[in-house]
Amino acid sequence: MHGSKTMVRSLLEGLLAGSSADAKADLAVFPPFPYLSLTESILSGSHIAWGGQTVNPNAKGAHTGETSGSMLVDMGCRYVLVGHSERRSIYAESDEDVALRFKAALAAGLEPVLCVGETLEEREQDQTETVVARQLDAVIDAVGIDVFSRAVIAYEPVWAIGTGLTATPQQAQSVHAFIRDKLSALNVIIGNQIRILYGGSVKGSNAAELFAQSDIDGGLVGGASLTVEDFLAIYGAVA
C-alpha cells in the first residue's frame, strides 16, 4: 500500500526505459487497485505485464470494497497475487480462503501467483516443508494439479520479508526444490515447467546468486520495487 499517481507514473516510465522486450527476464508489476487504470494507460502494448494484489473469491455481488477477477481483467491484468503473506497474517486468509481466490482467478482468466511460506517460528521448529505442503495441498485439493499450467508459485519466507534478512541461496533453493518435487510427483510436466519465484528481501546485491539456483526462476519483489533503480538492479541481474 504505497504510491501516488506521480510516483506510479515515474516508476513505470522508468521501468519501460530501463528494460527491454528482448531481455531474458519477463517483467510484471502489481500496483494498488486505484492505480490499475493509470498502469494500463502507461503499459498497454508494452513488454511489461501487470496484475492485482488480491482478488475476491466471488464473481460479483454485495461485497463493498472488494475487487473481482473480471474487474481485474477489465483493467488489462494478466496476473493476480493470491495468498500473499500479509493477506494471510494481517487479514486472516486461511488456506481454504486462498484456494477459493486461486479458483476465482483462474475462472476469470487470470494467472494466479500463489504465495506460500513459513514464519520464523515455523522455520525454527523445522516445519518449513510441512507448512508449505499444507498451503499447496489446500489449492491442489480444490482445483487439481493440471491447472497449475496457468499459474506461478512464489515462495516467501515470512521471516525474511521487510526484515532485511534473506534466506541464503541454499536455503531458498532447498524449499524451491521441495515445491518442484512435490508438484512433479503429481504431474512431471507441470513440475518441470512451472515458474517458482523467490520473495524475501530480494535486492540487486543478492539477486544474481539467488536466481542462479537451479529451481529459482525469478523474484517476487517487495520493498525494492518502490524505486526504479532498486528494481532495475534486480532485473539487470538476469536480463
Side-chain angles (χ1 to χ4, degrees), residues 137-206:
D137 284 338
V139 178
I140 294 169
D141 291 346
V143 298
I145 185 63
D146 293 347
V147 298
F148 278 81
S149 62
R150 296 186 285 134
V152 177
I153 294 176
Y155 167 58
E156 308 179 285
V158 181
W159 50 272
I161 298 173
T163 63
L165 299 174
T166 307
T168 66
Q170 294 73 29
Q171 286 175 320
Q173 164 60 22
S174 176
V175 181
H176 280 241
F178 169 77
I179 293 171
R180 196 176 302 281
D181 289 346
K182 179 176 176 59
L183 298 182
S184 294
L186 299 173
N187 186 312
V188 67
I189 295 176
I190 287 176
N192 287 334
Q193 293 182 347
I194 193 166
R195 296 186 188 195
I196 308 176
L197 312 180
Y198 173 74
S201 294
V202 180
K203 303 181 285 289
S205 59
N206 62 25

Side-chain angles (χ1 to χ4, degrees), residues 1-3 7 11 30 53 84 86 156 160-164 198-204 219-232 234:
M1 196 171 67
H2 295 278
M7 178 267 203
L11 176 63
F30 296 81
Q53 295 183 358
H84 190 280
E86 292 165 7
E156 308 179 285
I161 298 173
T163 63
Y198 173 74
S201 294
V202 180
K203 303 181 285 289
L220 180 66
V221 184
S225 69
L226 298 178
T227 64
V228 173
E229 295 78 14
D230 289 343
F231 202 177
L232 287 179
I234 296 169

Side-chain angles (χ1 to χ4, degrees), residues 37-221:
S37 182
L38 176 61
T39 298
E40 182 183 30
S41 70
I42 295 172
L43 297 183
S44 183
S46 78
H47 60 280
I48 302 178
W50 60 97
Q53 295 183 358
T54 186
V55 63
N56 188 274
N58 298 280
K60 61 180 179 180
H63 300 281
T64 301
E66 292 294 295
T67 303
S68 70
S70 63
M71 292 176 181
L72 295 177
V73 171
D74 202 27
M75 288 289 98
C77 291
R78 175 177 173 180
Y79 301 101
V80 64
L81 301 179
V82 176
H84 190 280
S85 60
E86 292 165 7
R87 301 299 309 177
R88 292 178 186 267
S89 63
I90 301 173
Y91 298 99
E93 290 182 10
S94 66
D95 294 338
E96 291 71 26
D97 291 332
V98 173
L100 290 174
R101 294 170 195 273
F102 187 100
K103 186 175 182 178
L106 290 173
L110 294 161
E111 293 184 39
V113 180
L114 173 63
C115 302
V116 298
E118 83 283 15
T119 65
L120 180 60
E121 181 181 9
E122 289 165 340
R123 171 164 281 272
E124 290 177 340
Q125 294 176 356
D126 199 27
Q127 294 180 341
T128 295
E129 292 185 358
T130 300
V131 170
V132 171
R134 186 198 74 220
Q135 293 170 337
L136 289 171
D137 284 338
V139 178
I140 294 169
D141 291 346
V143 298
I145 185 63
D146 293 347
V147 298
F148 278 81
S149 62
R150 296 186 285 134
V152 177
I153 294 176
Y155 167 58
E156 308 179 285
V158 181
W159 50 272
I161 298 173
T163 63
L165 299 174
T166 307
T168 66
Q170 294 73 29
Q171 286 175 320
Q173 164 60 22
S174 176
V175 181
H176 280 241
F178 169 77
I179 293 171
R180 196 176 302 281
D181 289 346
K182 179 176 176 59
L183 298 182
S184 294
L186 299 173
N187 186 312
V188 67
I189 295 176
I190 287 176
N192 287 334
Q193 293 182 347
I194 193 166
R195 296 186 188 195
I196 308 176
L197 312 180
Y198 173 74
S201 294
V202 180
K203 303 181 285 289
S205 59
N206 62 25
E209 190 176 5
L210 284 164
F211 299 161
Q213 303 302 308
S214 59
D215 290 298
I216 299 180
D217 301 316
L220 180 66
V221 184

